[in-house]
Amino acid sequence: MSRYVEPARVRGRVVFRDVTVVDPVAGSGTAGVDVATEEGRIVSVSPSGADSAPADGAHVVEGGGRFLVPGFTDSHTHALNTPEDVDGAYALMLTQGVVGFRQMSGNRALLAARREGRLPRPNGAPALRATAGDLLTPFNAGTAEDAVRTVREQHRDGADFVKAGMTTARTFMAALEEANRLGIRLGGHLPPDLDPREAARGGVWSIEHLGPGVTVFAAASGREPEVRAVGASRRMPSLPKVRFPGAEKLVMKLIEGVVTNPATRTSADEAHAYELADGSYDQEKAEELAALFVAHGTWQCPTLIRVHTQQFGDAPEHTEDPRRRYMAPAELRKWDKSAKKFARLPDATRRALREHWAAQLRMTRTFAEAGVPMVAGSDACGAAGVVPGFALHDEFDLLAEAGLTPAAILRTATSEVARFLGEEGEFGRVAPGLPADLVLLTEDPLSDHRALHGIAGVMRGGDWWERAELDAILERVAAAPGAY
């Protein structure tokens, strides 16, 4: 059970009558369609009224020409960082049509809980599509040998992928080589001393946050050696080097402040690296980098909303966001502490961070236009200013600001996620046999991405919640905030 989400009033056989079914892959919609679901699966998709059988004994949702799309997946979250208290985040995700997620940090206990079927599954919980084990940090990947051992351990424990968090070029590439040998994917943060082209050629699965830092932007600079040399000065937090019981939890606690907003640790050298990269941007080099990513199938998860909340860490749009009312008080205290720390950064550093935003939008647009594969993620649950569920819609807006088309934005949260995870055709479309994870929209998402915000109802696992019920969930969360 969930503290916030009551069991769905509508369960069992459901028929959406006279809807426009949107196909993200084709970027097209088919009007006048009936979609029948039962036992968590789509059982038929047919012209409206052509088959009366699906409606027998079913709950009928009158579509009235509204638009039915696959439910959304947030491909970069940390919801299960607090598996004992995940109800609030899951409830918010449901209200925003988020029916699946990729967990970006795990541990042995989490992997064991999943393996043994002990993960919490409150009402309306999104599907855990993939999870990593422990982040690669100086604690477990301080040397190439340590990195290789950690990859082997995570592969043994059943992780779906390995996430690089804080590594060096040497430890990152050692981990990547071992991951490739074992057949487990590796993605995450590129270290500041690594050329992203080397990572792509080495088979890295995904790059998060456009780097982070200046790593990717150095490769699009006319002063690349200088930018890379200055950018490589990024500091890492001091972490224990010896393993002992409970050390993994201690490490996560030590880096918690960094995770809340890494930009609060921006040094003068890093700020200068941003200025150098942005002032020497070379579009031809950016396009060459994009072509390399396409050739090697190097996915991008830009998390622009996370980037924005970092680089504008004390902006009123984040510190006074009315959606803060859904967040746990302890989480808000972390956010506010981080905002004050951000405000104390030197003016020159804050200016460099603000001005780098345009470069990040430009790079995202360049990648999209070149056909670099991309999924949408928010970095919700732990990141300052990022509200679970809602943040994926913020990401849609920022991807649009970067220049992605409405159809491309829809794909980043639906069909492209299935392709990203190697499960193409298993979810992310409205088709017979696929999971009944659906969002009913009031407007056409292929005409304007903002239609993705106009949710009339959500189906998760065959259970249906109308808009009024979703709004009631939001009010229950606001009355007892518990999202992290």
Side-chain angles (χ1 to χ4, degrees), residues 77-350:
T77 72
H78 296 269
L80 286 171
N81 281 13
T82 55
E84 71 285 352
D85 194 12
V86 75
D87 283 15
Y90 278 0
L92 294 180
M93 293 164 83
L94 175 66
T95 68
Q96 304 308 306
V98 179
V99 301
F101 69 104
R102 181 174 61 134
Q103 171 72 16
M104 295 304 293
S105 55
N107 50 53
R108 287 184 179 179
L110 179 65
L111 294 172
R114 182 181 65 166
R115 192 166 57 245
E116 298 163 9
R118 293 185 288 104
L119 286 180
R121 287 190 52 78
N123 300 323
L128 172 59
R129 304 218 186 274
T131 183
D134 290 296
L135 298 178
L136 297 187
T137 69
F139 169 69
N140 59 11
T143 67
E145 293 75 19
D146 287 344
V148 167
R149 182 179 66 249
T150 299
V151 170
R152 289 174 180 169
E153 290 173 350
Q154 295 195 17
H155 178 259
R156 177 201 65 203
D157 292 341
D160 299 302
F161 65 99
V162 177
K163 184 188 175 187
M166 303 172 187
T167 58
T168 65
R170 184 166 183 270
T171 57
F172 183 99
M173 293 306 294
L176 180 56
E177 182 178 351
E178 183 64 10
N180 290 339
R181 188 186 72 81
L182 294 172
I184 185 172
R185 297 167 292 199
L186 184 146
H189 301 182
L190 299 183
D193 59 339
L194 178 65
D195 185 334
R197 290 165 292 214
E198 184 181 357
R201 294 186 183 107
V204 69
W205 177 41
S206 68
I207 296 174
E208 313 295 316
H209 322 300
L210 297 174
V214 77
T215 313
V216 169
F217 296 89
S221 166
R223 301 169 65 178
E224 181 174 354
E226 186 180 355
V227 173
R228 198 169 299 288
V230 176
S233 66
R234 189 194 311 167
R235 299 167 295 164
M236 291 188 185
S238 180
L239 300 176
K241 301 294 192 294
V242 179
R243 294 193 174 200
F244 53 87
E248 289 85 357
K249 288 186 178 180
L250 175 61
V251 167
M252 292 308 296
K253 186 68 177 176
L254 290 171
I255 67 175
E256 186 178 81
V258 179
V259 169
T260 302
N261 185 356
T264 61
R265 294 172 56 89
T266 305
S267 68
D269 282 344
E270 287 179 272
H272 182 47
Y274 286 131
E275 292 172 334
L276 284 175
D278 297 345
S280 59
Y281 176 78
D282 186 321
Q283 182 63 26
E284 185 175 342
K285 289 190 69 176
E287 291 172 1
E288 289 172 354
L289 178 63
L292 183 73
F293 286 161
V294 171
H296 290 277
T298 306
W299 287 79
Q300 305 292 317
C301 187
T303 65
L304 294 174
I305 180 56
R306 163 60 147 161
V307 171
H308 197 278
T309 59
Q310 286 181 187
Q311 293 167 202
F312 299 83
D314 61 346
E317 65 189 279
H318 300 310
T319 61
E320 300 173 14
D321 186 342
R323 301 171 304 181
R324 284 167 53 102
R325 70 191 185 113
Y326 302 121
M327 304 305 299
E331 187 71 0
L332 291 179
R333 286 193 291 272
K334 292 180 198 173
W335 292 9
D336 293 342
K337 180 179 178 182
S338 179
K340 290 176 182 177
K341 187 174 181 181
F342 182 89
R344 293 195 294 268
L345 287 172
D347 289 344
T349 298
R350 289 154 53 84

Side-chain angles (χ1 to χ4, degrees), residues 24-75:
V25 176
S28 62
T30 302
V33 174
D34 290 350
V35 177
T37 72
E38 189 169 16
E39 296 183 355
R41 292 277 163 178
I42 299 169
V43 295
S44 67
V45 178
S46 57
S48 188
D51 183 1
S52 61
D56 293 343
H59 176 85
V60 177
V61 177
E62 294 292 353
R66 291 180 292 183
F67 298 81
L68 196 65
V69 300
F72 312 134
T73 293
D74 189 329
S75 290

